[in-house]
Amino acid sequence: MTGSTQQKPTLLLVEDDPGLLSQLRWCFSDFEVLTAKDRDEAITQLRRGEPQVVTLDLGLPPDPGGATEGLATLEQILALAPNTKVIVVTGNNDRDNAVKAVALGAYDFYQKPVDADILDLIVQRAHRLYELEAENRRLADHRSAEPLPGLIASSPEMLKVCRTVEKVAPTDATTLLLGDSGTGKEVIARALHDLSPRSKEAFVAINCAAIPENLLESELFGYEKGAFTGANKQTKGKIEYASGGTLFLDEVGDLPMALQAKLLRFLQERVIDRIGGREGIPVDVRVVCATHQDLSGLIAEDAFREDLFYRISEITIAIPPLKDRTGDAHVLARLLLKRFADQQGRPIKGFAPDAVQAIEHHTWPGNVREMENRIKRAVIMADASQVTAEDLELSPEGEDPMMLNLRQVRDEAEGRAVRRAMQMVDGNISRAAELLGVSRPTLYDLMKKHEMGREG
């Protein structure tokens, strides 16, 4: 294993006996060992080194003969880092305080005199449990961050979209997805397919804006042999290939008027005519359309058929831009960073503070697609273990637009702050309260007020 010193798990030894501390620090070869002689040092090392396991002597100064200072240290450690496994070390006849420590949240206890081999075994077991719980939290985070297959979101705005998708997916209702470029319309369309009874059949996508007008009809409807110059064989169109499954028409607002009429007939009768064909061909397909354009405006300009609009919008789902998804930017950025770092084999561990600030302030005009591009480039170009605002080519500066309803401003800002804090500390109540500068009971009241769970 390369770089073993950095990759070793961290163990903090809290012991006021210098001789014993010196002896113990060489007994744990599988760990990066930190030491502390009193509560202040222990908390400093806890914040700095983030140890997974702590051994804590309950007899710390200024009460080396008792356990009050040790128990206070235990409570403070667990308040700051509740997932840390703390093994308390007690005097030979101090079983009551050992039991009390376990009741307070210690992982285990060990009585002096210290046997280094046995203590090492307890520490190794504690670390294995820590890793197992951490992996469970990572899996839970991943599940909560992907409310639909392939969609990363945790904001109330997107969770509302997801609930709509879950209701609509089992039906055959023709669905219209409205949203800016890069908001994830195709991801939503695939989710509608994957959650439907048609999930085992084909999902066929076609971008109406990307295919020249003179070729689009044959792409959609197919053609018979000899229908036009170069038509050397009978060819099925995308609609036929999607039979039994889902047809996704992206940028449907760019369909030329002549094709709009032919698509309307298909949607009404579920029968297509190949170019040059004489007989209609029945097709059973679920249709999902998407556009970033204002179809009402196009209808007013006679650029889009009103009857087609009503036919494709039996259900309409509006997908908000990234800037309007409360807290999603940070969640999405963190998961994309991990994905691209793994893909590129780069040892990137996270975002620098100025990058976090820049991500929060940037309006993301290119939405998710812009974020993917910026983070992938930053992962490749970053010189340090953390991505900076400069790597993202963003400025950490920014300001929120002015709003004049003071109560609304206060409530929205409060909700955003609580949600962001909870996301940045992975749902750790104590750390979120510390970050926000409030007590735990106050934070619980705020979470209840803004209808959020521990995952924020």
Side-chain angles (χ1 to χ4, degrees), residues 213-234:
E213 183 176 337
N214 60 331
L215 298 179
L216 186 54
E217 182 178 7
S218 60
E219 279 289 310
L220 282 171
F221 297 94
Y223 52 86
E224 297 290 350
K225 181 178 180 180
F228 50 81
T229 303
N232 299 321
K233 62 178 181 178
Q234 183 190 76

Side-chain angles (χ1 to χ4, degrees), residues 76-354:
Q76 193 170 354
I77 288 173
L78 293 178
L80 292 170
N83 298 315
T84 300
K85 302 303 171 191
V86 182
I87 302 159
V88 295
V89 181
T90 69
N92 194 31
N93 298 313
D94 200 14
R95 185 180 180 86
D96 288 345
N97 281 320
V99 173
K100 186 176 181 180
V102 172
L104 288 172
Y107 164 72
D108 204 347
F109 69 90
Y110 181 78
Q111 291 181 315
K112 294 181 178 180
V114 172
D115 183 316
D117 291 336
I118 294 177
L119 187 57
D120 181 46
L121 186 64
I122 297 172
V123 168
Q124 294 281 2
R125 188 176 63 188
H127 179 255
R128 281 196 295 272
L129 179 60
Y130 177 94
E131 286 293 296
L132 181 62
E133 291 176 351
E135 180 61 22
N136 287 338
R137 287 193 298 274
R138 283 192 289 269
L139 291 172
D141 285 347
H142 183 71
R143 285 193 296 271
S144 66
E146 278 202 12
L148 292 176
L151 179 69
I152 300 170
S154 65
S155 65
E157 297 85 0
M158 284 304 292
L159 293 180
K160 183 179 179 181
V161 170
C162 294
R163 285 193 295 270
T164 302
V165 170
E166 289 168 348
K167 292 176 183 177
V168 174
T171 75
D172 267 345
T174 302
T175 306
L176 176 63
L177 306 179
L178 300 176
D180 294 343
S181 179
T183 50
K185 296 188 289 294
E186 184 166 348
V187 174
I188 297 291
R190 286 186 178 275
L192 285 166
H193 174 73
D194 291 340
L195 296 175
S196 76
R198 299 174 178 269
S199 59
K200 297 187 184 301
E201 304 299 330
F203 175 88
V204 177
I206 185 167
N207 188 323
C208 301
I211 300 173
E213 183 176 337
N214 60 331
L215 298 179
L216 186 54
E217 182 178 7
S218 60
E219 279 289 310
L220 282 171
F221 297 94
Y223 52 86
E224 297 290 350
K225 181 178 180 180
F228 50 81
T229 303
N232 299 321
K233 62 178 181 178
Q234 183 190 76
T235 302
K236 290 182 180 180
K238 297 287 189 182
I239 297 176
E240 271 189 89
Y241 278 116
S243 184
T246 302
L247 174 69
F248 175 50
L249 298 176
D250 198 5
E251 300 303 348
V252 71
D254 288 278
L255 271 178
M257 289 296 285
L259 275 187
Q260 290 181 32
K262 194 165 183 178
L263 178 62
L264 177 63
R265 177 175 178 268
F266 161 67
L267 291 174
Q268 290 171 333
E269 302 177 11
R270 299 292 162 159
V271 171
I272 64 164
D273 295 317
R274 295 193 191 121
I275 299 173
R278 293 186 177 88
E279 294 182 2
I281 302 168
V283 178
D284 171 30
V285 66
R286 198 279 182 73
V287 178
V288 179
C289 300
T291 183
H292 73 282
Q293 299 194 61
D294 175 15
L295 293 185
S296 298
L298 293 179
I299 291 169
E301 297 169 4
D302 292 327
F304 198 86
R305 295 180 62 119
E306 187 172 12
D307 49 3
L308 177 60
F309 170 72
Y310 290 120
R311 182 64 66 175
I312 65 175
S313 60
E314 292 176 345
I315 300 289
T316 299
I317 301 176
I319 305 171
L322 184 56
K323 66 182 177 64
D324 293 336
R325 304 179 190 179
T326 310
D328 269 2
H330 182 78
V331 173
L332 184 62
R334 188 173 58 189
L335 292 177
L336 288 174
L337 181 73
K338 185 179 186 309
R339 177 193 300 173
F340 291 134
D342 290 344
Q343 286 178 2
Q344 303 296 328
R346 297 295 317 277
I348 306 295
K349 301 301 182 186
F351 292 102
D354 67 338

Side-chain angles (χ1 to χ4, degrees), residues 403-421:
M403 296 175 62
L404 300 180
N405 185 322
L406 186 58
R407 179 177 296 177
Q408 182 183 358
V409 171
R410 183 171 61 245
D411 286 347
E412 290 185 1
E414 185 180 77
R416 283 197 302 271
V418 173
R419 188 169 283 109
R420 288 172 182 171

Side-chain angles (χ1 to χ4, degrees), residues 17-81:
D17 182 339
L20 181 57
L21 196 61
S22 178
Q23 174 190 343
L24 285 176
R25 70 175 301 153
W26 303 111
C27 295
F28 302 98
S29 58
D30 294 330
F31 291 85
E32 183 72 23
V33 178
L34 306 175
T35 61
K37 298 186 291 294
D38 54 37
R39 187 187 345 178
D40 289 343
E41 278 191 20
I43 299 306
T44 298
Q45 293 283 43
L46 181 78
R47 292 179 184 277
R48 183 181 301 157
E50 298 183 346
Q52 293 88 2
V53 183
V54 176
T55 70
L56 172 63
D57 182 7
L58 289 183
L60 293 178
D63 183 25
T68 55
E69 185 69 5
L71 292 174
T73 304
L74 170 66
E75 289 188 279
Q76 193 170 354
I77 288 173
L78 293 178
L80 292 170

